Amino acid sequence: MAASDRMVLGPLVGSIDQGTSSSRFLVFNAKTAELLSHHQVEIQQKFPKEGWVEQDPKEILRSVHECVERTCEKLQQLNIDITNIKAIGVSNQRETTVVWDKTTGEPLYNAIVWLDLRTQSTVERLLKRIPGNNKSFFKFRTGLPLSTYFSAVKLRWLLDNVEEIRQAVDDGRAMFGTIDSWLIWCLTGGKNGGVHCTDVTNASRTMLFNIHSLDWDPELCQFFDIPMEILPKVRSSSEIYGLMKICPSLKSGALTGVPISGCLGDQSAALVGQMCFQDGQAKNTYGTGCFLLCNTGQKSVFSDHGLLTTIAYKLGRDKPVCYALEGSVAIAGAVVRWLRDNLGIVKTSQEVEKLAAEAGTSYGCYFVPAFSGLYAPYWEPSARGIICGLTQFTNKNHIAFAALEAVCFQTREILDAMNKDCGIPLSQLQVDGGMTNNKVLMQLQSDILCIPVVKPSMPETTALGAAMAAGAAEGVGIWSLNPGDLTAVTCERFEPQINPEESEYRYARWKKAVMKSMGWETSEAPSNGDTSIFCSLPLGFFIMSSMIMLIGAKYVSGTDK
């Protein structure tokens, strides 16, 4: 095809959206914010031991390469010239920790995923060094409690347990980063001059970063015993970090030499993509986990109700930093994946919506999916998942409904905390993420919150936010972030359809179930070093047995094929 035959759309911006479950590459029109094409590849999660969650950094990188190449091929099939892609943004799963060898470009261990719980003993050991065993001792410096969630304790575990990493640090070969750092380093040349950097939003999730000075904190690094020379350089969320050097196999030209000029942790990217630029604006993203962020402007607000203080964005080297309050839920979309992969009661994630719709109620069944403990507002690592309220009438439809309802109840808990901290209750909730395609879930969420839920017609707000940051960067300048220039977003609204009394009753029952999930796991191991079967199962043995018997009976009797 001749170049003159290709469609002219003006400047385009690409967005790498690397999440916990999948990698994607999306291309937007910089003038209209229209999504032109995309490709998605699912990422494997590994569970080598109870509570451990890992991913292969090289698989993540390969998936990004594949997504970029397939998307560019799709654009060419649409007669769109890929040389019009003028910038690339990156959004990523936060806290997931990678250490690699800068001389070989090889990871020195699998990525430890943000959900991973192996560091609980590390957290407990560190807590003993803090006056009063206070988890919030560093809160006013980092915005975070000491928890298995954040990168510093994962990095500490790697240094304590992986000889290859200790040796690489001693030899000056080791590099640490979250997924954004790993991707940017690889995509800008890797061992041949790759750029080792991160942005302020990702740095603020490590527990090594001072959210006021906007730099690595020497005292925090000393406390965790982390060598500062392995840390990436911290940059703003919108500037040119380096030039992309991939896709040499594309038949009609390589996508190379394009600036990577936007970088935001996925939740900050969604906040930008939802255009929550004003104080008090909030969004909730439904992905593997669930994350409610409220913009607090240039003031860092500290929570009295279990929320995190985090950096929302810094959209340029000379632009002010903005902060957010965040409520983090570990398990949202992951509970649907668990129903599919672990229990096998559905073959596709989409079937969960159909089962829940057929039930229309949980019939008194409540599901607390605390597979990785409870995050906000409890920060209770001892919790484990439970399903309670089972009867002989309970079937897989009710469990599917209870799973979706659990996502909504968890959001209600963090929204209540957000309203208390901010003082002005949200009148509606802006939502995004893959799970928002589930209309049953969205209606349930409105019913349980007793306020409208508002979903943009283009739900790819995480990728859009990274694209906006990349296109607006100094030296690129093809995407305006001025409020008057931003494209109006059409939305779908879900209004509450049950009375508040019923909502409160169901919520109170959920809270009762949450209390029963706590204190399930302890760090005390049996004397022989083995974990008993009762401790090692992610759900209580008797609860699981009941549920599997209920589901299995239908299959055995031939009533549910």
Side-chain angles (χ1 to χ4, degrees):
M1 181 183 301
S4 59
D5 294 332
R6 293 182 184 144
M7 194 182 302
V8 179
L9 294 171
L12 312 177
V13 179
S15 183
I16 296 166
D17 182 6
Q18 205 298 299
T20 315
S21 302
S22 67
S23 297
R24 298 184 300 162
F25 185 66
L26 307 91
V27 175
F28 297 90
N29 184 320
K31 297 301 181 187
T32 65
E34 177 190 2
L35 175 60
L36 300 175
S37 187
H38 74 283
H39 190 79
Q40 179 171 349
V41 173
E42 192 164 305
I43 299 292
Q44 183 184 2
Q45 295 182 47
K46 303 177 181 184
F47 307 96
K49 293 184 182 181
E50 172 62 25
W52 292 31
V53 190
E54 297 178 359
Q55 290 177 325
D56 179 356
K58 293 177 74 174
E59 182 191 351
I60 290 173
L61 180 63
R62 284 194 300 270
S63 71
V64 168
H65 278 276
E66 181 180 346
C67 288
V68 172
E69 295 199 20
R70 296 292 85 78
T71 302
C72 288
E73 288 173 357
K74 290 176 183 179
L75 288 172
Q76 290 170 336
Q77 290 165 8
L78 294 169
N79 298 346
I80 296 172
D81 188 351
I82 65 168
T83 63
N84 284 334
I85 299 175
K86 303 302 182 186
I88 305 284
V90 175
S91 75
N92 59 285
Q93 52 171 311
R94 303 171 302 169
E95 299 93 18
T96 297
T97 299
V98 187
V99 180
W100 66 94
D101 187 322
K102 66 182 177 184
T103 61
T104 65
E106 294 293 313
L108 294 166
Y109 194 81
N110 275 340
I112 299 183
V113 176
W114 57 276
L115 284 165
D116 189 281
L117 286 175
R118 77 186 67 188
T119 54
Q120 184 53 36
S121 59
T122 305
V123 168
E124 290 169 4
R125 190 176 76 246
L126 291 166
L127 265 176
K128 291 175 182 176
R129 297 172 49 199
I130 295 175
N133 290 350
N134 180 7
K135 289 182 185 177
S136 299
F137 187 75
F138 298 119
K139 179 170 119 175
F140 294 102
R141 201 182 300 201
T142 66
L144 313 173
L146 185 60
S147 164
T148 59
Y149 184 14
F150 307 110
S151 307
V153 291
K154 301 180 195 302
L155 181 52
R156 183 66 259 154
W157 186 93
L158 288 167
L159 290 166
D160 289 338
N161 291 278
V162 183
E163 176 59 33
E164 279 186 274
I165 288 179
R166 283 198 298 270
Q167 190 61 54
V169 169
D170 291 343
D171 296 344
R173 295 181 283 110
M175 284 183 163
F176 153 78
T178 42
I179 295 297
D180 58 307
S181 297
W182 165 245
L183 289 178
I184 291 173
W185 186 80
C186 291
L187 297 177
T188 56
K191 62 183 179 179
N192 300 312
V195 178
H196 188 210
C197 69
T198 189
D199 90 301
V200 290
T201 67
N202 282 294
S204 74
R205 311 296 294 193
T206 61
M207 282 209 86
L208 300 172
F209 186 74
N210 187 311
I211 61 173
H212 308 293
S213 67
L214 304 184
D215 211 344
W216 301 119
D217 191 301
E219 291 181 8
L220 288 169
C221 291
Q222 185 176 16
F223 174 80
F224 288 102
D225 194 17
I226 303 296
M228 294 185 72
E229 59 270 16
I230 73 173
L231 304 179
K233 181 178 175 59
V234 182
R235 312 275 286 271
S236 77
S237 308
S238 178
E239 61 179 271
I240 295 175
Y241 312 111
L243 302 180
M244 194 122 146
K245 299 177 181 177
I246 63 170
C247 287
S249 65
L250 282 172
K251 293 175 183 175
S252 37
L255 183 62
T256 188
V258 179
I260 300 178
S261 52
C263 179
L264 291 151
D266 50 9
Q267 305 314 317
S268 288
L271 195 73
V272 171
Q274 287 267 32
M275 301 176 199
C276 295
F277 294 125
Q278 303 299 316
D279 295 14
Q281 288 185 310
K283 66 87 206 171
N284 197 35
T285 298
Y286 299 75
T288 297
C290 206
F291 303 89
L292 177 59
L293 268 69
C294 180
N295 191 333
T296 64
Q298 296 178 42
K299 181 182 178 183
S300 53
V301 175
F302 292 90
S303 173
D304 295 321
H305 301 93
L307 303 181
L308 308 176
T309 304
T310 197
I311 292 182
Y313 50 78
K314 187 179 189 296
L315 295 174
R317 283 179 293 186
D318 301 322
K319 297 294 175 64
V321 66
C322 287
Y323 297 89
L325 274 174
E326 175 175 337
S328 308
V329 169
I331 302 294
V335 74
V336 173
R337 191 167 178 168
W338 183 83
L339 291 175
R340 184 193 72 185
D341 297 345
N342 291 39
L343 288 194
I345 66 174
V346 293
K347 291 181 180 177
T348 68
S349 299
Q350 291 72 28
E351 286 179 55
V352 172
E353 179 179 9
K354 181 173 178 288
L355 294 182
E358 287 174 2
T361 173
S362 69
Y363 203 79
C365 172
Y366 288 86
F367 192 159
V368 183
F371 303 148
S372 296
L374 290 169
Y375 284 14
Y378 301 101
W379 298 107
E380 183 48 69
S382 73
R384 285 297 179 273
I386 66 167
I387 300 175
C388 54
L390 298 172
T391 70
Q392 285 186 304
F393 181 72
T394 309
N395 60 34
K396 65 180 182 178
N397 295 26
H398 299 125
I399 291 165
F401 190 96
L404 296 185
E405 205 172 32
V407 175
C408 301
F409 285 133
Q410 290 179 106
T411 297
R412 167 75 186 267
E413 289 194 295
I414 57 177
L415 184 64
D416 284 356
M418 192 80 72
N419 287 339
K420 290 172 186 173
D421 281 321
C422 294
I424 303 173
L426 287 179
S427 58
Q428 63 179 31
L429 183 65
Q430 292 178 229
V431 300
D432 58 74
M435 287 191 85
T436 61
N437 292 322
N438 186 322
K439 292 184 184 296
V440 171
L441 176 71
M442 292 294 95
Q443 185 57 56
L444 265 175
Q445 188 67 87
S446 179
D447 290 344
I448 288 165
L449 297 180
C450 301
I451 59 173
V453 166
V454 181
K455 173 193 168 185
S457 56
M458 201 286 290
E460 306 293 356
T461 52
T462 301
L464 177 61
M468 291 166 66
E474 184 180 352
V476 179
I478 57 173
W479 203 309
S480 172
L481 298 183
N482 294 326
D485 297 331
L486 295 173
T487 306
V489 178
T490 56
C491 297
E492 183 178 4
R493 288 175 68 89
F494 296 84
E495 301 281 348
Q497 292 182 356
I498 66 174
N499 63 56
E501 290 76 19
E502 182 184 346
S503 176
E504 290 301 321
Y505 173 78
R506 284 156 62 178
Y507 184 45
R509 299 268 285 180
W510 153 264
K511 299 278 275 189
K512 185 177 177 181
V514 169
M515 292 302 109
K516 291 183 182 298
S517 77
M518 291 192 189
W520 188 270
E521 191 61 82
T522 67
S523 58
E524 297 174 7
S527 58
N528 65 358
D530 294 329
T531 306
S532 77
I533 187 171
F534 299 106
C535 293
S536 65
L537 290 172
L539 297 177
F541 176 74
F542 295 107
I543 296 168
M544 275 293 290
S545 297
S546 301
M547 183 174 67
I548 290 168
M549 286 171 67
L550 283 166
I551 297 167
K554 296 186 73 178
Y555 283 101
V556 171
S557 66
T559 59
D560 191 356
K561 298 291 185 186

